[in-house]
Amino acid sequence: MPTRPSAAAKRERQPFGRWFLGSSLYSLTLGYNTPRSFFAVAADSWPGDPVLGQRLLQAGEFAAAGSVGTVLPDSDDPPWQRPGAAPLWLDALNGFAWLRDLRDNGDPHGAMLAARLVDDWTNREWRWSPVTWKRDVLAARMVAWIRHYEWLASAADPGFAARFVFSLGRQRVHLRRVARRGMVGHEAVAVYKAMIFADLAFIRDGKHFEKSLDQTLGRLAKFVKRYVLHDGIVAERAPHLQLAVLRHLIDVRAALASAERRAPAELVAAIDRMAPMLRFFRHGDGGLSLFNGTWEGDRRLIDLVLARSGSGEVAPTMALASGFQRLSAGTSLVIADAGSPPGRGMDGIAHAGTLSFEMSAAHERLIVNCGTYPGAPRDFQHFMRYTAAHSTAVVDDVNSTEITNHGALEYRAGNVLIDRADDGGAQWLDMCHDGYRSLYGIIHRRRLWLSPDGGDLRGEDSFLGYEGRPVTVPDQRYIVRFHLHPTVKATLAQSGQAVLMRLPSGRGWRLRATGAGIGLAESIYLGEEGRVRRTEQIVLVGQVPAEGTTVKWALTRMEG
């Protein structure tokens, strides 16, 4: 799926190329044959945040990604490339998704402020810059402008439409140039979506846009056919990207329908495959499971995306291509990552969490991964990718998949094998990976068993030599970790032989283990956007002898 970058994309990364892109000469090339007419496309119907809209309208404060800054039109301190501002804050500001916050605030002055800010951007940012014209930010801005055009124009002066169309046309030209090659993953879907929206908006201005639209639809169809795996999960294997990409595709389908055009069959098929898998990743509280850089997310938005998908198919029990597994009985739900980490080009945010699992009881989370969210402290984002930040086993404090300094993965936990069985209502998972084979000659095997009533989850974590051979580097310490949700209260009991856990509802669970020492340690939780919360983890600690070892544990619901 990764491709070589286009000439324009290469220029963005080279000093001379960046100078040229920011020059008046390049700016002139963007204005050639700019469209003069505009057709409103599928007005935005996703909910905004009225509180954030009111804050922007009344105080001129824009809050995003954990940062706040003043945003005023025609200011002596323009915000669009403000020195010292957090990069994610600038991305959110220049992406203009906040237009829906002003729109849903309900104050008629919101549209006036929005139109003035759009004009302020077009007046100040008419030249390319690496901040305001970054490819993903540019794509988000184009879609936001197009979908809010009628609302913006309703409060603007008579010349606004011409200025708006001229700027949008120039942005479209640059996006097409940098989108020819070098796009991977969810960004490619977002960029294709923006190009489709722009071509639909300008379609009445000539056949040129008809041809461009057909080409982009063909490229999107070809891309999603490969990018959305056969089981319906996106190639990055991240639940939050499952939500984002499904939302993008639903938007494209709606835009085409508004122009009385049929969506490509590959796009429709991708939506149908993705919706059940989004349900697959939801816990009992309605939020997302925390694999590969995901946070809990907005439950209302998840509900809305699923409703608009048009798919009523229930969540399956397994994802064969990506390896995720789901055990459900009574009020208990277990979601396990039993697949290999994402491949090269899709691994920029991937975590080394192979064989980790999460568990919820009814609407309460019990066992979690640490997760992360946009705007989290940089060091935390890095460390949350480690195996130790997941509810799985770690050998010698080494990640099961290496995370390189530039963020990609190397020496992935491979040969991830899965066997699944049902027996009289009970469910078995038998999984293993070889992430520690090259260093220590160790294979990590994890077996899970969930009782028919969901009140008993039993596990075995084995550390064995490859194909029955002795471990090549024995006596390495292992730790089996169970990170607890911050709302769970845990105490050691039975003279340190068990841990009792109390959920907010008052329900209790107990974890016992044999074959390893048991204890409690500190942990942190980044599963809620904008918050770093302290929590605890249960740890089972031991050593791996030459002949290998197995630790058995049981997580049992306490009646009464």
Side-chain angles (χ1 to χ4, degrees), residues 487-549:
T487 59
V488 177
K489 306 301 180 184
T491 55
L492 283 171
Q494 299 176 2
S495 301
Q497 299 303 305
V499 174
L500 302 182
M501 291 157 281
R502 185 71 61 184
L503 279 68
S505 64
R507 296 186 181 93
W509 288 78
R510 177 176 57 203
L511 189 142
R512 293 172 294 175
T514 58
I518 187 169
L520 284 172
E522 293 183 348
S523 181
I524 59 173
Y525 185 72
L526 278 71
E528 299 172 10
E529 189 169 8
R531 300 181 69 184
V532 177
R533 301 183 66 181
R534 293 186 177 275
T535 185
E536 293 182 291
Q537 58 177 308
I538 303 170
V539 293
L540 310 180
V541 184
Q543 286 187 311
V544 184
E547 65 273 19
T549 188

Coordinates of all heavy atoms in Angstrom, one line a residue, residues 487-549:
T487 N -11.2 3.3 38.0 CA -12.3 3.3 38.9 C -12.3 2.0 39.7 O -13.1 1.8 40.6 CB -13.6 3.3 38.1 OG1 -13.7 2.2 37.2 CG2 -13.7 4.6 37.4
V488 N -11.4 1.1 39.4 CA -11.3 -0.2 40.2 C -10.4 0.0 41.4 O -9.3 0.5 41.3 CB -10.8 -1.3 39.3 CG1 -10.6 -2.6 40.1 CG2 -11.7 -1.5 38.1
K489 N -10.9 -0.5 42.6 CA -10.1 -0.4 43.8 C -9.6 -1.8 44.1 O -10.4 -2.8 44.2 CB -11.0 0.1 45.0 CG -11.7 1.4 44.7 CD -10.7 2.5 44.4 CE -11.4 3.9 44.2 NZ -10.4 4.9 43.8
A490 N -8.3 -1.9 44.3 CA -7.7 -3.2 44.5 C -6.9 -3.3 45.8 O -6.3 -2.3 46.2 CB -6.7 -3.5 43.3
T491 N -7.0 -4.5 46.4 CA -6.3 -4.7 47.7 C -5.7 -6.1 47.7 O -6.4 -7.1 47.2 CB -7.2 -4.5 48.9 OG1 -8.4 -5.4 48.8 CG2 -7.6 -3.1 49.1
L492 N -4.6 -6.3 48.3 CA -4.0 -7.7 48.5 C -4.8 -8.3 49.6 O -5.2 -7.7 50.6 CB -2.5 -7.6 48.8 CG -1.6 -7.3 47.7 CD1 -0.2 -7.0 48.2 CD2 -1.5 -8.5 46.7
A493 N -5.0 -9.6 49.4 CA -5.8 -10.4 50.4 C -5.2 -11.8 50.5 O -4.3 -12.2 49.8 CB -7.2 -10.5 50.0
Q494 N -5.7 -12.5 51.5 CA -5.3 -13.9 51.7 C -3.8 -14.0 51.9 O -3.1 -14.8 51.2 CB -5.8 -14.8 50.6 CG -7.3 -14.9 50.5 CD -7.8 -15.7 49.3 OE1 -7.0 -16.3 48.6 NE2 -9.1 -15.7 49.1
S495 N -3.2 -13.1 52.7 CA -1.8 -13.1 53.0 C -1.0 -12.9 51.8 O 0.1 -13.5 51.6 CB -1.4 -14.4 53.8 OG -2.1 -14.5 55.0
G496 N -1.5 -12.1 50.9 CA -0.7 -11.8 49.6 C -0.8 -12.8 48.6 O -0.1 -12.8 47.6
Q497 N -1.8 -13.7 48.7 CA -2.0 -14.8 47.7 C -3.1 -14.5 46.7 O -3.3 -15.2 45.7 CB -2.3 -16.1 48.4 CG -1.3 -16.6 49.3 CD 0.1 -16.8 48.6 OE1 0.2 -17.5 47.6 NE2 1.1 -16.1 49.2
A498 N -3.8 -13.3 46.8 CA -4.9 -13.0 45.9 C -5.0 -11.4 46.0 O -4.5 -10.8 46.9 CB -6.2 -13.6 46.3
V499 N -5.7 -10.9 44.9 CA -6.0 -9.5 44.9 C -7.5 -9.4 44.7 O -8.2 -10.1 43.9 CB -5.4 -8.8 43.7 CG1 -5.8 -7.4 43.5 CG2 -3.8 -8.8 43.8
L500 N -8.2 -8.6 45.6 CA -9.6 -8.3 45.5 C -9.8 -7.0 44.8 O -9.1 -6.0 45.1 CB -10.2 -8.3 46.9 CG -10.0 -9.5 47.8 CD1 -10.7 -9.3 49.1 CD2 -10.6 -10.7 47.1
M501 N -10.8 -7.0 43.9 CA -11.1 -5.8 43.1 C -12.5 -5.4 43.3 O -13.4 -6.2 43.2 CB -10.8 -6.0 41.6 CG -9.3 -6.2 41.3 SD -9.0 -7.1 39.8 CE -9.3 -8.8 40.4
R502 N -12.7 -4.1 43.5 CA -14.1 -3.6 43.7 C -14.4 -2.6 42.6 O -13.7 -1.6 42.4 CB -14.2 -3.0 45.1 CG -15.6 -2.5 45.4 CD -16.6 -3.7 45.6 NE -16.1 -4.5 46.8 CZ -16.7 -5.6 47.1 NH1 -17.8 -6.1 46.5 NH2 -16.3 -6.3 48.2
L503 N -15.5 -2.8 41.9 CA -15.9 -1.9 40.8 C -16.8 -0.8 41.4 O -17.4 -1.0 42.5 CB -16.6 -2.6 39.7 CG -15.7 -3.3 38.7 CD1 -15.0 -4.5 39.3 CD2 -16.5 -3.8 37.5
P504 N -17.0 0.3 40.7 CA -17.9 1.4 41.2 C -19.3 0.9 41.6 O -19.9 1.4 42.5 CB -17.9 2.4 40.1 CG -16.7 2.2 39.3 CD -16.4 0.7 39.4
S505 N -19.8 -0.1 40.9 CA -21.2 -0.6 41.2 C -21.2 -1.4 42.5 O -22.3 -1.7 43.0 CB -21.6 -1.5 40.0 OG -20.8 -2.7 39.9
G506 N -20.1 -1.7 43.0 CA -20.0 -2.5 44.2 C -19.7 -4.0 43.9 O -19.4 -4.8 44.8
R507 N -19.7 -4.4 42.6 CA -19.4 -5.8 42.3 C -17.9 -6.0 42.5 O -17.1 -5.2 42.4 CB -19.7 -6.0 40.8 CG -21.2 -5.9 40.5 CD -21.5 -6.4 39.0 NE -22.9 -6.2 38.6 CZ -23.4 -5.2 38.1 NH1 -22.6 -4.1 37.8 NH2 -24.7 -5.1 37.8
G508 N -17.7 -7.3 43.0 CA -16.3 -7.6 43.3 C -15.7 -8.7 42.4 O -16.5 -9.6 41.9
W509 N -14.4 -8.7 42.2 CA -13.7 -9.8 41.5 C -12.5 -10.1 42.2 O -11.9 -9.2 43.0 CB -13.4 -9.3 40.0 CG -14.5 -9.2 39.1 CD1 -15.5 -8.2 39.1 CD2 -14.9 -10.2 38.1 NE1 -16.4 -8.5 38.1 CE2 -16.1 -9.7 37.5 CE3 -14.4 -11.4 37.7 CZ2 -16.8 -10.4 36.5 CZ3 -15.0 -12.1 36.7 CH2 -16.2 -11.6 36.1
R510 N -12.0 -11.3 42.1 CA -10.8 -11.8 42.8 C -9.9 -12.4 41.8 O -10.3 -13.2 40.9 CB -11.2 -12.8 43.9 CG -9.9 -13.4 44.6 CD -10.4 -14.3 45.8 NE -11.3 -15.3 45.3 CZ -12.1 -16.0 46.0 NH1 -12.3 -15.6 47.3 NH2 -12.9 -16.9 45.5
L511 N -8.6 -12.1 41.9 CA -7.6 -12.8 41.0 C -6.6 -13.6 41.9 O -6.0 -13.0 42.9 CB -6.8 -11.8 40.2 CG -5.9 -12.4 39.1 CD1 -5.9 -11.6 37.9 CD2 -4.4 -12.5 39.6
R512 N -6.5 -14.8 41.6 CA -5.5 -15.7 42.3 C -4.6 -16.3 41.3 O -4.9 -16.4 40.1 CB -6.2 -16.9 43.0 CG -7.1 -16.4 44.2 CD -7.9 -17.5 44.8 NE -8.9 -18.0 43.8 CZ -9.7 -19.0 44.0 NH1 -9.7 -19.7 45.1 NH2 -10.6 -19.3 43.0
A513 N -3.4 -16.7 41.7 CA -2.4 -17.2 40.8 C -1.5 -18.3 41.4 O -1.3 -18.2 42.7 CB -1.5 -16.1 40.2
T514 N -1.1 -19.2 40.6 CA -0.1 -20.2 41.1 C 1.1 -20.2 40.1 O 0.9 -20.1 38.9 CB -0.7 -21.6 41.2 OG1 -1.2 -22.0 39.9 CG2 -1.9 -21.7 42.2
G515 N 2.3 -20.5 40.7 CA 3.4 -20.5 39.8 C 4.2 -19.2 39.7 O 5.2 -19.1 39.0
A516 N 3.7 -18.2 40.4 CA 4.4 -16.9 40.4 C 4.0 -16.1 41.6 O 2.9 -16.3 42.2 CB 4.0 -16.1 39.1
G517 N 4.8 -15.1 42.0 CA 4.5 -14.2 43.1 C 3.4 -13.2 42.6 O 3.4 -12.9 41.4
I518 N 2.6 -12.7 43.4 CA 1.5 -11.8 43.0 C 1.7 -10.5 43.8 O 2.0 -10.5 45.0 CB 0.1 -12.4 43.3 CG1 -1.0 -11.5 42.7 CG2 -0.1 -12.7 44.7 CD1 -2.3 -12.2 42.6
G519 N 1.4 -9.4 43.2 CA 1.5 -8.1 43.9 C 0.8 -7.0 43.1 O 0.2 -7.2 42.1
L520 N 0.8 -5.8 43.7 CA 0.2 -4.6 43.1 C 1.3 -3.6 42.9 O 2.3 -3.5 43.6 CB -0.8 -4.0 44.1 CG -2.2 -4.7 44.2 CD1 -3.0 -4.1 45.3 CD2 -2.9 -4.6 42.9
A521 N 1.2 -2.9 41.8 CA 2.1 -1.8 41.4 C 1.4 -0.6 40.8 O 0.2 -0.8 40.4 CB 3.2 -2.4 40.4
E522 N 2.0 0.5 40.7 CA 1.4 1.7 40.2 C 1.3 1.5 38.6 O 2.1 0.9 38.0 CB 2.2 2.9 40.5 CG 2.2 3.3 42.0 CD 3.0 4.6 42.2 OE1 3.7 5.1 41.3 OE2 2.9 5.1 43.3
S523 N 0.3 2.2 38.1 CA 0.2 2.3 36.6 C -0.5 3.6 36.3 O -0.8 4.4 37.2 CB -0.7 1.1 36.1 OG -0.8 1.2 34.7
I524 N -0.6 3.9 35.0 CA -1.3 5.1 34.6 C -2.3 4.8 33.5 O -2.1 3.7 32.8 CB -0.3 6.3 34.1 CG1 0.5 5.8 32.9 CG2 0.5 6.8 35.2 CD1 1.3 6.9 32.3
Y525 N -3.3 5.6 33.3 CA -4.3 5.3 32.3 C -4.5 6.6 31.4 O -4.8 7.7 32.0 CB -5.6 5.0 33.0 CG -6.7 4.6 32.1 CD1 -6.7 3.3 31.5 CD2 -7.8 5.4 31.9 CE1 -7.8 2.9 30.6 CE2 -8.9 5.0 31.1 CZ -8.8 3.8 30.5 OH -9.9 3.4 29.7
L526 N -4.4 6.4 30.1 CA -4.6 7.5 29.2 C -5.7 7.2 28.2 O -5.8 7.7 27.1 CB -3.3 7.7 28.3 CG -2.2 8.6 29.0 CD1 -1.5 7.8 30.1 CD2 -1.1 9.0 28.0
G527 N -6.7 6.5 28.7 CA -7.8 6.1 27.9 C -8.9 7.1 27.7 O -9.8 7.0 26.9
E528 N -8.8 8.2 28.5 CA -9.8 9.2 28.5 C -9.1 10.5 27.9 O -8.1 10.9 28.5 CB -10.4 9.5 29.9 CG -11.1 8.3 30.4 CD -11.5 8.5 31.9 OE1 -11.4 9.7 32.4 OE2 -11.9 7.6 32.5
E529 N -9.6 11.0 26.8 CA -9.0 12.1 26.1 C -8.8 13.3 27.1 O -9.7 13.8 27.8 CB -9.8 12.5 24.9 CG -9.1 13.5 24.0 CD -9.7 13.7 22.7 OE1 -10.9 13.2 22.5 OE2 -9.2 14.4 21.8
G530 N -7.5 13.8 27.1 CA -7.2 15.0 27.9 C -6.9 14.7 29.4 O -6.6 15.6 30.1
R531 N -6.9 13.4 29.8 CA -6.6 13.1 31.2 C -5.5 12.0 31.3 O -5.5 11.0 30.6 CB -7.9 12.6 31.9 CG -9.0 13.5 31.9 CD -10.2 12.9 32.6 NE -10.0 12.8 34.1 CZ -10.8 12.2 34.9 NH1 -12.0 11.7 34.4 NH2 -10.6 12.1 36.2
V532 N -4.6 12.2 32.2 CA -3.6 11.2 32.7 C -4.0 10.8 34.1 O -3.9 11.6 35.0 CB -2.2 11.7 32.6 CG1 -1.2 10.7 33.1 CG2 -1.8 12.2 31.2
R533 N -4.5 9.6 34.2 CA -5.0 9.2 35.5 C -4.1 8.1 36.1 O -3.6 7.2 35.5 CB -6.4 8.6 35.4 CG -7.4 9.6 34.8 CD -8.8 9.0 34.7 NE -9.4 8.8 36.1 CZ -10.6 8.2 36.3 NH1 -11.4 7.9 35.2 NH2 -11.0 8.0 37.5
R534 N -3.9 8.2 37.4 CA -3.2 7.2 38.1 C -4.1 6.0 38.4 O -5.3 6.1 38.7 CB -2.7 7.7 39.5 CG -1.6 8.8 39.3 CD -1.0 9.2 40.7 NE 0.1 10.1 40.5 CZ 1.3 9.8 40.3 NH1 1.7 8.6 40.1 NH2 2.2 10.8 40.2
T535 N -3.5 4.8 38.3 CA -4.3 3.6 38.6 C -3.3 2.5 39.1 O -2.1 2.9 39.4 CB -5.0 3.1 37.3 OG1 -5.8 2.0 37.7 CG2 -4.1 2.8 36.2
E536 N -3.7 1.3 39.1 CA -2.9 0.2 39.6 C -2.8 -0.9 38.6 O -3.6 -1.0 37.7 CB -3.4 -0.3 41.0 CG -3.3 0.7 42.1 CD -3.7 0.1 43.4 OE1 -5.0 -0.1 43.5 OE2 -2.9 -0.1 44.3
Q537 N -1.9 -1.8 38.8 CA -1.8 -3.0 38.0 C -1.4 -4.2 38.9 O -0.7 -4.0 39.9 CB -0.7 -2.9 36.9 CG 0.7 -2.6 37.4 CD 1.7 -2.5 36.3 OE1 1.8 -3.5 35.5 NE2 2.5 -1.4 36.3
I538 N -2.0 -5.3 38.6 CA -1.6 -6.6 39.3 C -0.5 -7.2 38.5 O -0.5 -7.2 37.3 CB -2.8 -7.5 39.3 CG1 -4.0 -6.9 40.0 CG2 -2.4 -8.8 40.0 CD1 -5.3 -7.7 39.9
V539 N 0.5 -7.6 39.2 CA 1.7 -8.2 38.5 C 2.0 -9.6 39.1 O 1.9 -9.8 40.3 CB 3.0 -7.3 38.7 CG1 2.8 -6.0 38.0 CG2 3.3 -7.0 40.2
L540 N 2.3 -10.5 38.2 CA 2.7 -11.9 38.5 C 4.1 -12.0 38.1 O 4.4 -11.8 36.9 CB 1.8 -12.9 37.8 CG 0.3 -12.7 37.9 CD1 -0.4 -13.9 37.2 CD2 -0.2 -12.7 39.4
V541 N 5.0 -12.3 39.0 CA 6.5 -12.2 38.7 C 7.1 -13.5 38.9 O 6.8 -14.2 39.9 CB 7.1 -11.1 39.6 CG1 8.6 -11.0 39.2 CG2 6.4 -9.8 39.4
G542 N 8.0 -13.9 38.0 CA 8.8 -15.1 38.2 C 10.0 -15.2 37.2 O 10.3 -14.2 36.6
Q543 N 10.6 -16.3 37.2 CA 11.8 -16.5 36.3 C 11.5 -17.7 35.4 O 10.8 -18.6 35.7 CB 13.1 -16.7 37.1 CG 13.6 -15.4 37.7 CD 14.9 -15.6 38.3 OE1 15.1 -16.5 39.1 NE2 15.8 -14.7 38.0
V544 N 12.2 -17.6 34.2 CA 12.0 -18.7 33.2 C 13.2 -19.6 33.3 O 14.3 -19.2 32.8 CB 11.9 -18.1 31.8 CG1 11.6 -19.2 30.8 CG2 10.7 -17.1 31.7
P545 N 13.1 -20.8 33.8 CA 14.2 -21.8 33.8 C 14.4 -22.4 32.4 O 13.6 -22.1 31.5 CB 13.8 -22.8 34.8 CG 12.3 -22.8 34.7 CD 11.9 -21.4 34.4
A546 N 15.5 -23.1 32.2 CA 15.8 -23.7 30.9 C 14.7 -24.6 30.4 O 14.4 -24.6 29.2 CB 17.1 -24.5 31.0
E547 N 14.0 -25.3 31.3 CA 12.9 -26.1 30.9 C 11.6 -25.4 30.7 O 10.6 -26.0 30.3 CB 12.7 -27.3 31.9 CG 12.2 -26.8 33.3 CD 13.3 -26.4 34.2 OE1 14.5 -26.2 33.7 OE2 13.1 -26.4 35.4
G548 N 11.5 -24.1 30.9 CA 10.3 -23.3 30.7 C 9.5 -23.4 32.0 O 9.7 -24.1 32.9
T549 N 8.4 -22.5 32.0 CA 7.5 -22.5 33.1 C 6.2 -22.0 32.7 O 6.0 -21.4 31.6 CB 8.1 -21.5 34.2 OG1 7.4 -21.6 35.4 CG2 8.1 -20.1 33.7

